[in-house]
Amino acid sequence: MLSRFIRYLVVSFLLCCFSVHAEDSLKKLKVSLLLEHEAFLVWYGIENGWDKELGLDITLNIKDVSGIDLLNDKHVNNGAWDIAGVGCVPAIIGGKGLDFSYIGIGNNESNSTEIMVRPDSKFLKVKGANPDYPEVYGSKETIKDSTFFIRKMTSAAYVLTNWLDLFGLSYSDVKVVDGNISDFIKYMKDGNGDAMILWAPATFEAQTNGFKSVASADQVDAIVPIFFIADSEFANKNAQAMARFLLMYDRAVKIQKKDPKSLVSYYKNFLKLYSGKDYSDEFCLFDLKAHTVYSIDEQLKLFNSDNNNLSAVEKMERHLISRIKMISMQPDIVYEPSQYKHNPSDLFLKIAKRLSEESK
């Protein structure tokens, strides 16, 4: 109770001191993101000059890798980034030994992370084998001894774990091949493997190549949000900068919620710039709508831990930590749960909300 009281005293102090109209010099921020939807919204804000308006000078590094790779960057070089955007699974599993805080939510990728197969796949011959999941394809008999391409230590591992569990299976019943997500479609087109777990925009490329979805993350109860995480020491020393970053992101979120069509041409330009590929208007609009985004007020509800109750974010973290052995595919691992726990802090969202109210 005392720690919570002290935290709220700190919040109150910071809210009184900070103003969006502060005329201090631009604060430099190093932000590393994956080549995904949330990176587009950050890029869009920078393209519109919102970072400068809010007193920030953001160096944006976008990589076509996975969240575990961004965390490995931090392990190798502590100064690799101040803020990163990673999936919930790599944040927890790959974050061991790193001191960071969850400061916000980029989006929910549950609708755009999928298990994909060839159109003649044996998995597609059976639907609803588990009556509690009538829309999910596959069965114990068709899945056993199959080969899956996934990026280990990512949300893909979580999705596969949940899907196998629906049929009473585990990783010991299948073969899992680790690799880069950008290579999986080629492997499958060459006749290798039985399935792959992808996330957008790779899911769209797979669809255009004729691959079909067996199940999406949300269909197997795998909630996979992208978290914005920040180096704890840096964040605590630069709380206003964290809040301003979230406020910039919120501007783009509001546009997506109100009029996603208005972002399509910009999204196409973003994807062309960073992937070198041309995506259709139809895909860009579909992908924008497929990624649920949350306003600052909505995020505050998810981070709320008043009255000593666990917040929604804390509950999800605890659930994933309890499944580390399964998700990491290391059933014999000996782990201490506290080593995988990080701090979901609503401090920066609260400051961002206050800044937003002051600017009206």
Side-chain angles (χ1 to χ4, degrees), residues 34-36 38 64-69 90 109 112-116 150-157 159 179-182 184 196-205 224 226 283 287 291:
L34 307 177
L35 180 52
E36 297 178 0
E38 69 278 358
D64 188 11
V65 293
S66 71
I68 202 72
D69 296 305
E109 293 200 319
S112 55
T113 302
E114 301 179 86
I115 303 170
M116 307 201 74
I150 73 167
R151 184 67 169 96
K152 289 184 178 180
M153 305 293 185
T154 69
S155 300
V159 174
N180 295 317
I181 190 171
S182 57
F184 294 164
M196 55 188 168
I197 293 84
L198 308 175
W199 51 78
T203 45
F204 175 76
E205 183 179 352
V224 287
I226 291 290
F283 164 76
D287 202 52
H291 286 85

Side-chain angles (χ1 to χ4, degrees), residues 11-274:
V11 172
S12 299
F13 173 76
L14 290 170
L15 292 180
C16 290
C17 294
F18 293 150
S19 168
V20 74
H21 303 296
E23 296 181 356
D24 54 324
S25 59
L26 296 180
K27 180 63 185 178
K28 293 185 180 297
L29 276 184
K30 290 182 289 186
V31 179
S32 287
L33 302 173
L34 307 177
L35 180 52
E36 297 178 0
H37 163 266
E38 69 278 358
F40 161 66
L41 294 185
V42 174
W43 174 85
Y44 182 76
I46 295 172
E47 285 293 294
N48 281 282
W50 297 342
D51 59 329
K52 302 298 191 298
E53 287 180 27
L54 292 166
L56 302 176
D57 180 9
I58 296 178
T59 299
L60 181 61
N61 183 21
I62 296 177
K63 292 187 173 184
D64 188 11
V65 293
S66 71
I68 202 72
D69 296 305
L70 296 188
L71 291 165
N72 286 338
D73 288 344
K74 191 72 167 176
H75 280 289
V76 173
N77 173 19
N78 190 54
W81 45 259
D82 304 316
I83 296 175
V86 298
C88 57
V89 173
I92 290 169
I93 295 180
K96 181 181 178 182
L98 295 177
D99 185 13
F100 62 75
S101 298
Y102 302 101
I103 67 169
I105 299 174
N107 58 44
N108 186 341
E109 293 200 319
S110 301
N111 291 323
S112 55
T113 302
E114 301 179 86
I115 303 170
M116 307 201 74
V117 298
R118 301 182 191 87
D120 61 351
S121 171
K122 56 186 177 181
F123 302 155
L124 295 174
K125 300 183 185 302
V126 183
K127 186 178 182 182
N130 184 326
D132 292 327
Y133 297 84
E135 299 303 313
V136 174
Y137 289 90
S139 66
K140 185 172 185 176
E141 294 72 24
T142 58
I143 297 169
K144 192 172 175 61
D145 298 324
S146 297
T147 298
F148 295 83
F149 293 114
I150 73 167
R151 184 67 169 96
K152 289 184 178 180
M153 305 293 185
T154 69
S155 300
Y158 182 33
V159 174
L160 182 56
T161 294
N162 282 20
W163 183 63
L164 293 174
D165 194 48
L166 296 186
F167 308 107
L169 299 171
S170 68
Y171 284 120
S172 62
D173 298 304
V174 298
K175 181 180 179 181
V176 175
V177 179
D178 189 19
N180 295 317
I181 190 171
S182 57
D183 296 325
F184 294 164
I185 294 175
K186 180 182 184 302
Y187 294 160
M188 291 284 288
K189 288 177 69 175
D190 289 343
N192 300 305
D194 298 291
M196 55 188 168
I197 293 84
L198 308 175
W199 51 78
T203 45
F204 175 76
E205 183 179 352
Q207 290 171 12
T208 59
N209 278 276
F211 293 95
K212 305 295 182 181
S213 176
V214 169
S216 60
D218 63 321
Q219 289 177 325
V220 297
D221 299 331
I223 308 303
V224 287
I226 291 290
F227 280 118
F228 288 128
I229 61 175
D231 179 275
S232 293
E233 182 179 2
F234 182 90
N236 291 331
K237 290 180 179 179
N238 299 277
Q240 190 181 23
M242 300 296 102
R244 290 179 177 183
F245 171 81
L246 295 172
L247 191 57
M248 183 190 80
Y249 195 75
D250 189 60
R251 289 188 185 182
V253 164
K254 288 176 179 175
I255 294 174
Q256 178 173 322
K257 282 176 170 284
K258 183 178 180 180
D259 185 15
K261 286 185 178 180
S262 67
L263 296 174
V264 167
S265 62
Y266 298 98
Y267 199 16
K268 288 179 67 174
N269 292 340
F270 166 81
L271 290 171
K272 179 67 174 180
L273 177 64
Y274 286 100

